[in-house]
């Protein structure tokens, strides 16, 4: 067995598995969940976002294939989100590499807490499903930008907004997950070009867990109601990121 495979490595495999189960089933929260744990473990914000996005390149690719195979991807919505999302992710990754990590940490932790609250509140809303395809380009750009800067947020911003507008749950989750592959690929390319590849063991662990979870998560998105899981995810993000925020403020 390789030397780097230890209890910490296996822990991040489980985090990657759990994060992808959440993300694939709900269309959100892989980055938020994984980034919350990395920040809590002391990984700097730039490295945390880069690590999560590099791992997500593998997990979102597997998730996109799974959702497509289950018929969860709506092509018109996909086409309107993908290019703006990639542009926003590239810009956000570049901005993050130019800023001081210690200065950013409490802001990003606070942002993650707010996103956790947002996810939790969304779990209590009942929405009649329709299909929304128009005027989603700015949403994709903003989602990609915040996702790269915060280490997560593509799903909570884009999926939650589309659901709030009344978009069909199954097609929203499947399509947003499919677009996320291209968003994370763009952000990862900018991070690698700017700061190189660090924490590769964590990248490998998160990717391994996420790829294993992707097929099951795609099936769950098709068949199982997700509101209770959204509430659990929101609470998890609030607790983990709240702890990081408290510590970064000297608590």
């Amino acid at each position: 067995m390789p030397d780097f495979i230890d209890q910490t490595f296996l822990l991040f495999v489980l985090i990657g598995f759990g994060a992808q189960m959440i993300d694939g089933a709900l269309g959100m929260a892989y980055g938020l969940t994984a980034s919350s744990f990395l920040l809590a473990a002391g990984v700097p914000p730039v490295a945390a976002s880069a690590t999560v996005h590099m791992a997500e390149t593998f997990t979102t690719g597997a998730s996109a294939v799974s959702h497509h195979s289950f018929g969860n991807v709506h092509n018109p919505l996909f086409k309107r989100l993908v290019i703006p999302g990639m542009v926003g992710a590239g810009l956000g990754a570049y901005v993050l590499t130019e800023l001081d990590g210690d200065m950013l940490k409490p802001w990003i932790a606070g942002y993650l807490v707010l996103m956790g609250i947002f996810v939790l509140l969304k779990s209590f809303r009942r929405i009649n499903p329709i299909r929304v395809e128009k005027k989603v380009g700015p949403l994709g750009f903003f989602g990609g930008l915040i996702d790269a800067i915060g280490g997560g947020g593509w799903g909570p911003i884009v999926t939650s907004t589309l659901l709030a507008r009344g978009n069909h749950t199954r097609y929203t989750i499947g399509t947003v997950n499919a677009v996320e592959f291209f968003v994370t690929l763009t952000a990862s390319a900018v991070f690698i070009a700017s700061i190189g590849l660090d924490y590769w063991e964590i990248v490998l662990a998160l990717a391994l867990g996420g790829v294993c979870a992707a097929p099951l998560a795609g099936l769950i998105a098709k068949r199982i109601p997700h509101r209770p899981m959204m509430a659990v995810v929101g609470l998890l993000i609030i607790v983990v990121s709240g702890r990081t925020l408290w510590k970064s403020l000297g608590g």
Side-chain angles (χ1 to χ4, degrees):
M1 180 178 293
D3 293 337
F4 63 83
I5 298 181
D6 54 16
Q7 289 185 341
T8 301
F9 181 87
L10 295 177
L11 174 61
F12 279 109
V13 170
L14 291 176
I15 291 173
F17 183 90
Q20 184 55 43
M21 283 292 295
I22 293 166
D23 189 90
L26 299 179
M28 66 180 73
Y30 181 99
L32 295 179
T33 304
S35 293
S36 296
F37 279 103
L38 291 182
L39 288 174
V43 178
V46 176
S49 184
T51 300
V52 169
H53 281 87
M54 291 172 194
E56 275 191 298
T57 302
F58 300 95
T59 60
T60 56
S63 181
V65 172
S66 298
H67 278 294
H68 187 270
S69 66
F70 287 116
N72 298 337
V73 178
H74 185 51
N75 287 330
L77 180 60
F78 176 92
K79 293 176 181 178
R80 286 172 169 81
L81 283 174
V82 64
I83 298 300
M86 292 172 66
V87 173
L91 179 61
Y94 175 76
V95 168
L96 184 61
T97 60
E98 297 297 313
L99 299 177
D100 178 62
D102 291 335
M103 178 189 72
L104 283 176
K105 194 168 185 178
W107 292 98
I108 293 178
Y111 155 78
L112 293 172
V113 171
L114 291 177
M115 287 296 98
I117 294 171
F118 190 63
V119 171
L120 178 62
L121 293 177
K122 286 294 181 183
S123 70
F124 295 103
R125 293 192 62 182
R126 184 180 299 276
I127 300 171
N128 296 321
I130 59 175
R131 289 188 180 181
V132 176
E133 302 169 9
K134 298 179 180 180
K135 298 181 181 180
V136 296
L139 174 64
F141 174 82
F142 183 69
L145 180 73
I146 297 301
D147 184 82
I149 292 176
W154 169 258
I157 291 171
V158 180
T159 300
S160 296
T161 301
L162 290 174
L163 292 178
R165 291 172 61 182
N167 205 28
H168 194 288
T169 302
R170 172 185 168 189
Y171 295 112
T172 296
I173 292 171
T175 305
V176 171
N177 267 264
V179 174
E180 191 173 14
F181 167 72
F182 297 94
V183 171
T184 57
L185 184 64
T186 302
S188 295
V190 175
F191 281 129
I192 291 174
S194 302
I195 64 174
L197 177 61
D198 293 322
Y199 301 98
W200 66 268
E201 298 96 337
I202 298 178
V203 172
L204 178 60
L206 292 174
L208 180 61
V211 169
C212 291
L216 181 58
L219 180 62
I220 290 174
K222 183 177 181 179
R223 298 188 176 181
I224 299 179
H226 67 279
R227 290 173 65 196
M229 191 182 297
M230 283 185 69
V232 173
V233 173
L235 288 171
L236 176 64
I237 295 170
I238 292 168
V239 171
V240 174
S241 298
R243 177 177 177 273
T244 301
L245 178 62
W246 177 258
K247 290 179 64 176
S248 67
L249 295 176

